[in-house]
């Protein structure tokens, strides 16, 4: 399955972009009426899994099974996406820039990196 996604980079890129768009949309939704950390376990699952799959498919799109030169690029891009996502939430009414969410994002990135390698 992994080799299929690596051979079909276009599909992997579409999935990466799709996940990025979904993450941007979710972080654009105002959370008025929902207390901070009011979602608890759902928030943990969302952050960790969305960044896990975002990073995993970014690996498929860039590495192609051979070019290990891009490992740090993938990790850098995924971490920067998480930082920009949290920064974006700072400007959404009812949302905040949350360091805990960023750590959950990085957990998903780490788990995807370990899984891929």
């Amino acid at each position: 399955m992994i080799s299929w996604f690596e051979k079909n980079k276009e599909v992997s890129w579409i999935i990466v972009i799709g996940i990025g768009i979904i993450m941007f949309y979710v972080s654009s939704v105002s959370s008025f009426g929902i207390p901070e950390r009011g979602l608890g376990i759902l928030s943990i699952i969302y952050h960790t899994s969305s960044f896990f799959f975002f990073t995993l498919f970014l690996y498929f799109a860039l590495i192609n099974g051979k070019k290990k030169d891009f490992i740090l690029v993938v990790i850098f891009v995924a971490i920067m996406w998480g930082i920009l996502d949290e920064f974006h939430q700072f400007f959404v009414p009812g949302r905040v820039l949350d360091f805990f969410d960023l750590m959950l994002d990085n957990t998903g990135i780490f788990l995807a990196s370990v899984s891929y390698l």
Side-chain angles (χ1 to χ4, degrees):
M1 188 67 143
I2 291 172
S3 61
W4 188 88
F5 281 111
E6 289 178 335
K7 287 178 189 173
N8 297 289
K9 289 182 173 224
E10 299 82 14
V11 174
S12 296
W13 276 115
I14 290 169
I15 293 171
V16 167
I17 292 167
I19 292 171
I21 289 170
I22 291 169
M23 286 192 285
F24 183 82
Y25 172 76
V26 169
S27 60
S28 297
V29 175
S30 177
S31 67
F32 283 124
I34 300 174
E36 281 306 304
R37 298 205 203 287
L39 299 178
I41 191 71
L42 293 178
S43 178
I44 292 170
I45 292 169
Y46 166 74
H47 282 274
T48 306
S49 63
S50 61
F51 274 87
F52 175 87
F53 288 110
F54 178 81
T55 305
L56 191 63
F57 281 98
L58 198 55
Y59 274 118
F60 296 157
L62 287 176
I63 303 256
N64 196 18
K66 301 175 210 138
K67 305 176 202 169
K68 303 297 181 189
D69 305 336
F70 288 107
I71 290 172
L72 293 178
V73 172
V74 169
I75 293 170
F76 177 77
V77 167
I79 289 172
M80 289 307 297
W81 186 261
I83 291 170
L84 290 173
D85 184 52
E86 288 302 317
F87 183 70
H88 165 250
Q89 287 183 73
F90 181 73
F91 297 101
V92 176
R95 302 296 294 263
V96 295
L97 191 152
D98 191 355
F99 184 74
F100 180 73
D101 287 349
L102 189 58
M103 290 298 98
L104 292 173
D105 299 345
N106 288 334
T107 300
I109 294 166
F110 173 76
L111 292 173
S113 299
V114 169
S115 297
Y116 184 79
L117 298 175

